């Protein structure tokens, strides 16, 4: 091998990205150096700016440039509701709907024992502390309906209920415009089970 | 959307990487910020070091920290042979075999009209100039046996032969250990066509 040192280091460093092995790392390095040097410069600068300026919001744990993020600092949000999501992208999806006016807590992950992610890694102690601020009346669990998201919701639910907090889970059922013919059986079973008075 | 500016910029900047869309870019940003801040710092530094220090070798066009790379500068290489490859990774594969002692020219790509990569983009003029240095006796085409690699080899071959240079193409045939039963028909046909006196 006769790679110049800086090139070998760059290929190695690109492997920090999730899902990037040695071959894609080399491909990425060549692409950046050969075809997109301005893009590479922007990426380097953005990484260092993000590392320097982004911290976690003290209240909701989301990424923020301020100690307390805009949502948590807003006087217009309903402070009695606290919605728990896995990732910042989930929070964004909820915000886009404009259907929720309460506050959030971002786990930055989900319980995943096989990957070594336990209650400590996703900051559940901070969530409990946050939820017991004396203002929160209801904690709404909006983790994903995957096996890990469900387990996380269940775990948090038990944790909070023993501390006297009201806990709810967002509904599972047919999606808007969903047709019985095209929805999987698990979803239909759940929609039947969770039926409401009409 | 309520993403802090530095986070939005980072996600946007990650899209400079080939094959990375908005969703993977977000996933990568969260992973780096949440799980691997040292990795993110290394990546930022490596990118800027590579941009600053890596140039193209004046003779072979490969990445190099010096004006002329180690291989081109070595007095122990056979200067009468010039092997043309698509990418630095291809050069490395050839070097690993220790079966070639000549010099190289790295195209940094292949002809790909559909992607707007023509003779100019892969520096064929520089290759011609390089090959006509008065020392080179044989140009060995080692581009890939893909449609684009074959077209590139064919194009270069025509270009150099009209200038009186001897041009060869690496052989296509059954791989070492290859069994007729398990090799594709195209390869067998080519191996038959290119048969040599035993």
């Amino acid at each position: 091998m006769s790679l110049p040192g800086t090139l070998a280091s760059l290929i190695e460093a690109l492997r920090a990205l999730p899902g990037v092995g040695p071959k894609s790392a080399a491909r990425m390095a060549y692409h950046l150096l050969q075809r997109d040097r301005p893009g590479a410069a922007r990426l380097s600068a953005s990484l260092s700016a993000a590392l320097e300026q982004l911290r976690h919001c003290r209240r909701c744990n989301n990424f923020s440039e301020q100690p307390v993020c805009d949502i948590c600092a807003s006087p217009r949000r309903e402070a009695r509701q606290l919605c728990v999501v896995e990732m910042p992208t989930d929070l964004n999806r909820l915000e886009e709907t404009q259907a929720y006016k309460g506050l959030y807590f971002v786990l930055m992950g989900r319980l995943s024992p096989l990957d070594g992610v336990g209650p400590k890694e996703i900051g559940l102690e901070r969530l409990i502390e946050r939820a017991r601020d004396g203002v929160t009346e209801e904690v709404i669990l909006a983790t994903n309906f995957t096996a890990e998201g469900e387990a996380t919701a269940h775990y948090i639910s038990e944790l909070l209920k023993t501390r006297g907090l009201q806990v709810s889970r967002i509904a599972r059922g047919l999606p808007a415009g969903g047709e019985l013919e095209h929805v999987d059986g698990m979803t239909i079973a759940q929609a039947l089970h969770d039926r409401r008075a009409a």
Side-chain angles (χ1 to χ4, degrees), chain A:
Chain A
M1 297 293 290
S2 49
L3 287 185
T6 43
L7 180 55
S9 305
L10 174 57
I11 294 174
E12 183 56 36
L14 282 163
R15 297 191 53 193
L17 299 170
V20 174
K23 287 203 173 176
S24 353
R27 200 164 49 92
M28 286 175 166
Y30 294 137
H31 174 86
L32 290 174
L33 291 168
Q34 186 65 18
R35 300 269 165 84
D36 194 6
R37 296 178 81 95
R42 268 195 305 276
L43 179 52
S44 171
S46 303
L47 279 165
S48 91
L51 284 172
E52 202 172 299
Q53 292 171 46
L54 284 181
R55 295 289 174 267
H56 290 286
C57 167
R58 206 186 289 155
R59 300 206 80 207
C60 73
N61 198 38
N62 197 3
F63 291 115
S64 170
E65 289 165 5
Q66 282 85 43
V68 172
C69 75
D70 289 348
I71 293 179
C72 288
S74 166
R76 283 201 301 276
R77 309 290 303 207
E78 170 54 81
R80 287 171 295 185
Q81 290 185 323
L82 184 67
C83 179
V84 178
V85 295
E86 296 182 17
M87 297 296 292
T89 34
D90 302 325
L91 182 156
N92 291 336
R93 290 290 291 138
L94 285 164
E95 284 296 289
E96 279 164 19
T97 66
Q98 304 192 354
Y100 178 69
K101 293 294 166 209
L103 297 173
Y104 293 95
F105 188 88
V106 183
L107 297 171
M108 293 288 175
R110 60 210 68 79
L111 288 178
S112 179
L114 292 178
D115 300 324
V117 181
K120 212 167 184 176
E121 281 70 25
I122 57 172
L124 291 192
E125 281 179 26
R126 284 193 53 204
L127 167 58
I128 294 169
E129 199 191 307
R130 169 70 187 80
R132 297 179 75 193
D133 64 350
V135 179
T136 306
E137 289 177 4
E138 180 188 6
V139 176
I140 302 167
L141 301 175
T143 56
N144 292 321
F145 282 102
T146 57
E148 292 180 342
E150 287 277 57
T152 305
H154 183 75
Y155 190 92
I156 294 175
S157 169
E158 295 300 309
L159 221 54
L160 295 179
K161 280 194 280 188
T162 60
R163 284 166 178 81
L165 282 152
Q166 186 192 330
V167 184
S168 62
R169 180 86 168 105
I170 55 168
R172 172 150 67 177
L174 269 71
E179 296 171 329
L180 282 176
E181 193 182 340
H182 300 116
V183 167
D184 69 289
M186 185 84 98
T187 300
I188 295 176
Q190 194 75 26
L192 267 175
H193 183 265
D194 292 353
R195 66 192 179 279
R196 307 190 310 170

